[in-house]
Structures are given as C-alpha cells and as structure tokens.
Amino acid sequence: MNFKIVSDSSSNLLDFSGVPYTTVPLKVITKEKEYIDDATLDVAAMMRELRTVKGRTGTSCPNVLEWKTAMADADAVFALTITGNLSGAYAAAVQAASELLEEHPEKRICVLNSLSTGPEMQLIIEELSELIGKGLSFDEIEAQIRAYMKCTHLIFCLQSLANLARNGRVNSVIAKVAGVLGIRVVGVASAEGTLELLHKPRGGVKALETILDVMRSNGYCGGPVRVAHCENEAVAASLVERIKARFGTVDITVLPTTALCSFYAENGGLMVGYES
C-alpha cells in the first residue's frame, strides 16, 4: 500500500524525509497582499512588512481542492490539520477526503484533527512516519496514532497577543492588558482544541521556568520535545538547556515558525510540543 502523510502548513514542517509527505499551505492576508505559507516565502520579511500594515490582517485555510490535490496520488493517506475549533482546515480536509473516496472507493483516508498546531503536530507527523515504517496496516496505524495523540501536548509563551485578539482567538481585553504591562502569556492548547491562557509571568526567565512547571504538571518526564520559535532563537536555545538541566538527556529539536504560526505567535513567541 502506497502511504502518504499530508499536513497543513501550521505544523511548521514544509518538508519531511522518510515517507511521502506534502504540506497544504495556509495564507496570511492583508488588504494589499497575500502571503502563502510555503518554502518560497521569506517569513522574516513578511513579519517586517506586517509591522507597518494599517488595517485588518487575517489568515485563510486551504480549500477543498488543495486538500484533494495533495491527497490524490496515494492509496493510503493520513491528513493532519490545525485544530478544527480555530480554523476551517479540518472541515475542508474532511470534505476533500469524502469526495476522493466517492471517486476512488478503494483508497483509505484518515483525517486527523490535531486539536493543536505547530510542534505538537510535528510530533504526530513523526509518529505517523514511524508507524508507517513498521509496516503496520492502515487500521493499526490509525488506532495507534489516535491513542498517541492523547499523550501529546502544546504549550506556548507569547510576548504579544495582538494578532490572536484581532482575529477572535483570545479576549481583546486580556491582549491589551498584556501589551500595556509588558508581560508574557503562557498557555496551552486545551483538550477541546482552543487556546487556554494559564499564566502571566513577568520577565523572560520566569516565563521559561513557567513552561517547565506546566510541562511537569501535565506529566512530562523526559520524552521527545519539539520547540518552534518566532525570531527568538537565543531564547529557544535557553529553553532547551533548561529542559535538559531539569529532565536530563532529552530528544529535542528546534525549528523556526513558518508563516501561519509566526503570524499568531508574533516576534519572540515560543511553542513547545511534548509527550506526557
């Protein structure tokens, strides 16, 4: 069986080795310009330009045709999307899968709602690749990946909530207060796939320690960790060292955020995916 993994670009993984893989790009939109979240985009330049934009900015998800095109060339597809509670990507992927299965009933397609984004999706993609590599059946892979997804988590630390508030993802009053007081906000992807703001630490060191405390309280004890940062490589490296100091030898990788996660995390944002 010819397997393939398809993810929307909020995973920050625009390419992946070891198994056939495709990303379907989300978009960041202003009144004058559209930024497509793919490998050709200069994300740093996009972020510089967005600082000077006047008027509304927003995002859009891949449409049904884009998902169908990405899924069409494999017999067995696992499609992973950003949380369906904050984006239409999951609904579009489900519709694409339904149409493809009507046209090609011999195919197998599983659409997975990550209830998250960014580095938690990265962990799920890596696990899918490992399960496919073991030669398991489609049904065995689906059962095991759904079980695995119950053990993955996302925590984030943001210096600004402006774009999240502007697009209705968090309360605008909380975003304004955080901006005025200059505090960080530490939160998680909830079990329902929404953003849950937990702590408002003052200062970068306190924010990093809060991340570690939340991880431990959620059952983290040394499994794989995936870190994504928006123009904050030095602080991401500091977080890695703190995780190793507290939990010992840990499998950690660090990636920069691509367009969609950069837009919402904003400059200085950190996102951490981990297993409990």
Side-chain angles (χ1 to χ4, degrees):
M1 187 173 277
N2 176 21
F3 283 93
K4 184 178 186 181
I5 301 172
V6 180
S7 168
D8 67 53
S9 59
S10 73
S11 66
N12 298 316
L13 285 179
L14 300 183
D15 58 76
F16 184 78
S17 60
V19 64
Y21 174 77
T22 296
T23 54
V24 185
L26 291 105
K27 302 173 184 69
V28 176
I29 301 169
T30 71
K31 185 177 179 180
E32 287 132 13
K33 192 169 183 179
E34 181 178 85
Y35 301 91
I36 299 174
D37 193 2
D38 63 19
T40 67
L41 179 65
D42 184 336
V43 176
M46 179 194 81
M47 296 300 289
R48 288 194 299 271
E49 292 171 10
L50 288 176
R51 290 183 202 124
T52 66
V53 167
K54 292 181 173 59
R56 186 169 179 80
T57 57
T59 60
S60 70
C61 65
N63 61 39
V64 173
L65 180 58
E66 290 172 309
W67 281 109
K68 281 185 71 174
T69 301
M71 296 176 185
D73 61 349
D75 303 322
V77 177
F78 287 92
L80 181 67
T81 78
I82 188 173
T83 174
N85 283 334
L86 296 177
S87 169
Y90 176 69
V94 169
Q95 179 63 33
S98 176
E99 292 182 10
L100 267 176
L101 289 171
E102 284 186 11
E103 299 164 8
H104 304 281
E106 75 282 0
K107 287 183 178 290
R108 301 297 305 276
I109 304 175
C110 172
V111 180
L112 299 165
N113 179 356
S114 74
L115 298 174
S116 188
T117 190
E120 184 174 356
M121 291 175 66
Q122 181 180 348
L123 285 171
I124 296 167
I125 291 165
E126 291 173 356
E127 182 70 10
L128 274 169
S129 177
E130 185 173 329
L131 293 171
I132 291 169
K134 290 179 178 178
L136 301 177
S137 71
F138 187 93
D139 292 334
E140 289 171 327
I141 294 170
E142 180 175 357
Q144 291 192 34
I145 199 63
R146 290 191 184 279
Y148 176 77
M149 289 170 65
K150 296 177 181 178
C151 303
T152 59
H153 307 274
L154 175 73
I155 183 169
F156 54 86
C157 178
L158 307 181
Q159 297 183 25
S160 170
L161 301 174
N163 285 338
L164 283 169
R166 195 175 292 122
N167 288 274
R169 269 58 175 182
V170 299
N171 185 286
S172 59
V173 174
I174 294 175
K176 186 174 292 186
V177 170
V180 170
L181 296 181
I183 61 177
R184 272 76 168 174
V185 175
V186 174
V188 298
S190 72
E192 296 76 32
T194 59
L195 302 183
E196 183 179 353
L197 308 183
L198 299 179
H199 304 283
K200 304 179 186 67
R202 289 182 178 273
V205 172
K206 181 62 175 175
L208 296 183
E209 289 301 315
T210 300
I211 290 173
L212 299 184
D213 291 343
V214 172
M215 289 171 66
R216 184 185 289 279
S217 69
N218 281 346
Y220 179 73
C221 55
V225 177
R226 301 294 176 256
V227 178
H229 70 89
C230 182
E231 300 186 358
N232 205 5
E233 187 172 2
V235 175
S238 178
L239 175 63
V240 168
E241 292 308 310
R242 289 171 184 274
I243 291 172
K244 291 179 178 178
R246 188 180 295 198
F247 298 102
T249 301
V250 176
D251 170 18
I252 308 180
T253 61
V254 178
L255 285 176
T257 50
T258 59
L260 191 283
C261 285
S262 294
F263 177 76
Y264 285 119
E266 300 190 57
N267 288 353
L270 292 175
M271 307 172 73
V272 183
Y274 62 97
E275 297 177 5
S276 61

